[in-house]
Amino acid sequence: GIVVLAVAILPMLRIGGAQLYRAETPGPLKDSKLTPKITETAKALWLIYLGITVMCMLAYWLGGMTLFDAVGHAFSTVAIGGMSTHDAGFAHFNSPTLEIVATFFMVVAGINFAIHFTSWKRASSEPYFRDPELRVYASLLLGFSVLVTLALYINGTYDSITQAARYASFQVVSIMTTTGFSTTDFSIWPGFIPIMLICIAFIGGCAGSTC
């Protein structure tokens, strides 16, 4: 995002930015421009980023956060920064509804923004289903969530499978997208789980995402 923004400004200073764009942009983005001009690409990506942030903020607010908390956590969720307006972090709210909202937008922020752009431009969800990287990303999130849920339930960490799934899925998504939100102290979870969660942070999200 920083590189694309810089490249949008460079032409005003009469400095060529296309080479920098190709050199610094990861993954499939470097081989195809989303729009004919890089300045238009920058504007498109920032508008998409802003739109997702506003939707996240509204969802938090409707889910029960104060407007201040909703704005602060929306910035932190979409940017995948993991900061909170409370010392206890996301655990302060203890709300399954807000956790579902956070999980959804962390997943969205971890998707290649080129796919968001293409889907928005075509007014179709087809690009999401055709992208192989996104399929792997979604499969890993689902697979690790199920694995951690079963491990927590079998070890008796939580009384019900529903409760185990609630905490497992949130932590898996938060850590794999490198956001860092936490609703519980997963370092005391049994067995291999804490080490595995640290390892999946190295997998991360898709190329061209905020992750």
Side-chain angles (χ1 to χ4, degrees):
I2 293 172
V3 170
V4 173
L5 182 63
V7 167
I9 296 171
L10 289 177
M12 301 177 191
L13 306 175
R14 296 184 178 179
I15 300 172
Q19 292 82 5
L20 175 64
Y21 177 80
R22 284 193 294 269
E24 294 295 330
T25 305
L29 281 175
K30 66 175 68 185
D31 297 322
S32 59
K33 294 180 180 178
L34 301 181
T35 61
K37 294 183 179 180
I38 293 177
T39 51
E40 293 177 5
T41 298
K43 290 175 184 176
L45 291 175
W46 280 97
L47 284 173
I48 291 170
Y49 182 90
L50 177 63
I52 294 173
T53 302
V54 171
M55 288 190 291
C56 183
M57 181 270 291
L58 290 174
Y60 277 143
W61 187 43
L62 293 173
M65 283 189 183
T66 65
L67 184 59
F68 177 76
D69 284 340
V71 171
H73 284 84
F75 285 144
S76 190
T77 302
V78 180
I80 303 187
M83 304 299 178
S84 175
T85 53
H86 298 277
D87 289 343
F90 218 90
H92 169 84
F93 303 102
N94 192 27
S95 167
T97 301
L98 292 176
E99 289 165 21
I100 291 171
V101 171
T103 301
F104 173 78
F105 281 99
M106 285 189 288
V107 171
V108 168
I111 296 173
N112 190 330
F113 270 56
I115 300 175
H116 293 318
F117 174 82
T118 305
S119 178
W120 169 72
K121 191 173 182 180
R122 296 180 184 175
S124 169
S125 60
E126 184 184 0
Y128 291 105
F129 296 100
R130 294 184 61 183
D131 185 70
E133 183 188 29
L134 179 53
R135 287 200 295 267
V136 172
Y137 170 66
S139 298
L140 288 173
L141 286 175
L142 179 61
F144 284 122
S145 295
V146 170
L147 178 61
V148 174
T149 297
L150 293 175
L152 290 174
Y153 182 66
I154 291 170
N155 279 280
T157 306
Y158 296 104
D159 296 330
S160 67
I161 193 74
T162 304
Q163 194 177 24
R166 170 189 170 184
Y167 289 102
S169 58
F170 185 90
Q171 292 306 146
V172 166
V173 171
S174 177
I175 294 172
M176 186 166 154
T177 59
T178 69
T179 308
F181 280 144
S182 180
T183 53
T184 185
D185 184 4
F186 65 86
S187 67
I188 61 173
W189 281 354
F192 66 95
I193 302 176
I195 300 299
M196 189 194 74
L197 290 176
I198 293 172
C199 290
I200 66 174
F202 288 91
I203 299 173
C206 301
S209 69
T210 52
C211 180

